[in-house]
Amino acid sequence: MNNTQTTDSVEMVNLTIDGNAVCVPKGTNLIEAAKLIKKEIPHYCYHPDLSVPGNCRMCQVEVEGAPKLLVGCATNASEGMVVRTQATSEKVKNAQESTLEFILINHPLDCTVCDQAGHCKLQDYHYEYNAKPSRFLKEDKEHKVKAEVLGPNVILDGERCIMCTRCIRFCDEITETSELGMLNRGDKSVIAVNPGKELNNDLSGTVVDLCPVGALTHRKWRFNTRIWYTKQTDSICTGCSTGCNVKVAVRDDKIVQVKARYNEKVNKEWMCDEGRYGFDRFLPKSRLQSPVISEEGNQIDDFSKAAKTLKAMKEEKITVFVAPDLMLEEYYVAKLFVEATFKNARVVISYKKRPLNEVQKKLVSPDYAANYKGAIYSGLVGENVESDYDNAIMDIYNGNTDSIMCIGERAIDFGHHVPDLYSKISELKNSIGILSDSESGLVSSLKVVFAGRSVLEKSGLLVNKDLLLQYSERVIDFPNNTDPEWRILNKLSKELGKEIVKATSDRELTLAYLAANSDLSEQTIKSIKREGVSL
Amino acid sequence: MKQQKQILLKNIDKPNQHTVSVYEENGGYKAIRKALQMGADEVKTEVKASGIRGRGGAGFATGIKWGFIADPEKSGKPVYIIQNADESEPGTFKDRLLLENDPHATIEGMLIAAVALKSHYGVVYIRGEYAFPYTRIQNAIKECYEKGYLGDNIFESGYKFDLVVHRGAGAYICGEETALLNSLEGKKGQPRLKPPFFPGVRGLYDMPTLVNNTETYAALPFIINEGAKEYASYGTEKSTGTKLFSASGHINKPGVYEVEMGYPILDFIENECGGIRDGKKLKAVIAGGSSMPILRADELKGVNLDFESLQAAGTYLGSGGFMVMDETTDMVEVALNIAHFYTHESCGQCTPCREGGHWIEKIFYRIARDKGMENDMDLVKSIANNIEGHTICAFGEALAWPAKAFIEKFPEEFRERIEASIKGKPLKKEALNFPILNH
């Protein structure tokens, strides 16, 4: 097998790992080099985006010519290097066994009650590389602090900690807030909050993701489920236009854990607390179900009635508000819908800039608009999203709009959800919307309302602020008597005479969209899901 | 054979040698004046030719170490000169004597190194517990500034060199040079990963840094004054010069002795140390400080006090902490005591040393307290082997070597304890009274 990663400017070096030839750019460490040939050199403390402390000693490998084993994380590949990992070297295998033995002697071995069980590196590696009975038989283990609150979101079990210091380095190097440190020496060492501080930076929950064992847990989610009872989905956070890659665990239709997923181009493995702990904030508090048409106080479940309203709107001066967290395909469907249905319509996307603090700036985007770039890309809205949106709102107040259409729960920014606006909207000639929260004031002010779905209940493509196309998987089962926004638009269009797209599911829609887009026709959902595609 | 007090301790007992005036009366600060005239390259050549090896423990050739440091005029990076006076190895107290009674010699040595490496900033990193030596070195530096021997224009040569003292906060590991640098930078005293952090290349604040032991610096004035050839005429071919030994234990005359490298170990015990106390029989010697493997009395014949001879005998010269034990010594207790020290001082950074150290201590403890188990000796050896060579710094060896050596050299004492406890007939040896369980 010969895996080659070619780059023009960087000097490449050739080495062999367990007899397999690898060619990597100079400066690549052995853990990364091994990844290229799909080999894992086990490690705890190493993280590709943090400094290399070399303290866990798990990644030791044999390098021909070196008198001792070397740590793969801190050893760079060089020309002609011959590396042997645990697969071919008895010395490495023994070193890994002993390292695991050392880590485990003072570990509480409380997997039965540990949240990390099932997705724990210590368990995984123990099964894979050691799995021997303990030789630590007689004395007590070292006892450490069991439930130390580090901050509003994170709690520490000192006994489970293996002192990899990833959390310390994250706070030192990424957030640059330096809340954490190490106290004491030897096997009394324990992670602690520096005097006068608490772990309350805006990315603080990330340390739990980085923790390879169950030492750090989310205060919000600890002790609520075993991970294997959950359904886990690789999805995208729709909190802002950064588009962090996440893994969401759901049990009984409730989000029980959100974990950042590694994507070098987007979020490394970081995630903000707002996005993480508020991941379910896009779910409607109270579910709107079945299409609702209010006609002089009567609610009728009827697409043909709605079609009548739309026909009436055809010649009017229309503003179409779209939510910033619809899928790219939906924007495309909406574009076709608007073009076919209205003669005099402008489309705006709900977009509000927000101030960020120094820590947020390292990851978070200054908006709440996950897919506004997708709306621009699809040609649905113009580049000046913020001013266009503000003007559109002003025009409702000024009476410069005959009728409006709202697509998506967040089509009108929550900051504008005020009684004044509601009454202005109810005074409009016509209004139609696709919403999902029955408690929203818009439900009673719009004349026709269909029950849509929240962003967590559908799959589709998102475009982040750097124009990276990503695939967001449905996280939560969709409720009955709701439809995704695109399908409602499609059905309405059908009533008006022409179906926009022949698709029965989110997936089919995505495939149809990809096939129709000449730039993306080579792509599949799988290829986009891997690490995104730059547009 | 030349013996006592030729180079390092020549003036050590002279009254007020710690003051600059007496130091100069006795020939002090001549070497630095000479060095300033010789220039950087010539000083470097001279030190390299002397063959002097680092006195801190590892015995790395000083001249070669200096060679790693880039010329600041070419690299554009400042060079820092550090005196490692964090002498914490149990059984070693030679630097203390130098700092207390002849601090100017170490300062002069640093000045010579500064001239050779074109450094303008130096630090004496002194063990925090060394309160009295601290006042002496601090005072000596003050005198030097007053005299113009330190500062912007040293010895009116136009050369600038500033020197400060930094007191450690009580961690043994800060004697490890990269941990020392971390400590100086205000970080936790934990060794850095090597490569890339060899101090000569990326040291203090990532700049080229020279870290040498107090005793190494103290020998430099002699090398410059008398010449490399004269220095190399002392000692053996590969271990040149003289070495300080901190003799302690069951001997009649404990103290710091300067002997020529290659001096026979048994002669040293008989002559300098004044023999074993109360006419008892010699049982064992640790020649290089507590982190080095122990030697039994029967292994000492023909062994000399130099790097090569001790290495051939299975131990190391280390820092010269020379501990002598007579026949009354309980080796299980010694092993426990030493294991306890290294457990307590393990910095906690990397896994094998952090976890393995205390494990070894716990096993020695149960053997010593008549609760030993059948495979304990093999277990300790296996743990020690798993630590050795698998850690970030040499502390892993410092912890593993003695543990292994005690069991290998005195297996019968451990076996006797273990067998008695398995049979349920404890030997009821009187336990040494030191707090060991929870440090």
Side-chain angles (χ1 to χ4, degrees), chain B residues 217-244:
Chain B
Y217 285 122
L220 295 181
F222 180 89
I223 294 174
I224 298 300
N225 277 330
E226 312 291 332
K229 223 173 153 190
E230 175 64 16
Y231 186 81
S233 76
Y234 291 84
T236 67
E237 192 196 336
K238 286 186 176 165
S239 305
T240 57
T242 61
K243 171 90 188 84
L244 297 183

Side-chain angles (χ1 to χ4, degrees), chain A residues 9 23 30 139-140 166 178 194 215 271 304 500 523 530:
Chain A
S9 54
C23 183
L30 295 181
E139 284 81 12
D140 268 2
R166 275 180 171 195
S178 300
N194 285 331
M271 192 179 175
S304 59
I500 299 170
Q523 302 291 347
R530 206 169 294 139

Side-chain angles (χ1 to χ4, degrees), chain A residues 57 106 138-139 184 186-187, chain B residues 188 346 355 358 371 390:
Chain A
R57 312 313 279 179
N106 285 319
K138 204 160 178 175
E139 284 81 12
N184 304 334
D187 57 1
Chain B
K188 190 166 179 170
S346 166
E355 309 289 345
H358 203 176
K371 286 171 189 140
H390 295 124

Side-chain angles (χ1 to χ4, degrees), chain B residues 68 107 137 149 152 223 246 251 280 292 305 349 361 408 410:
Chain B
F68 293 149
I107 295 173
I137 186 82
Y149 296 173
D152 290 340
I223 294 174
S246 320
I251 47 174
K280 293 254 172 22
M292 298 299 156
L305 290 171
Q349 185 178 203
E361 188 202 332
E408 277 162 9
F410 302 95

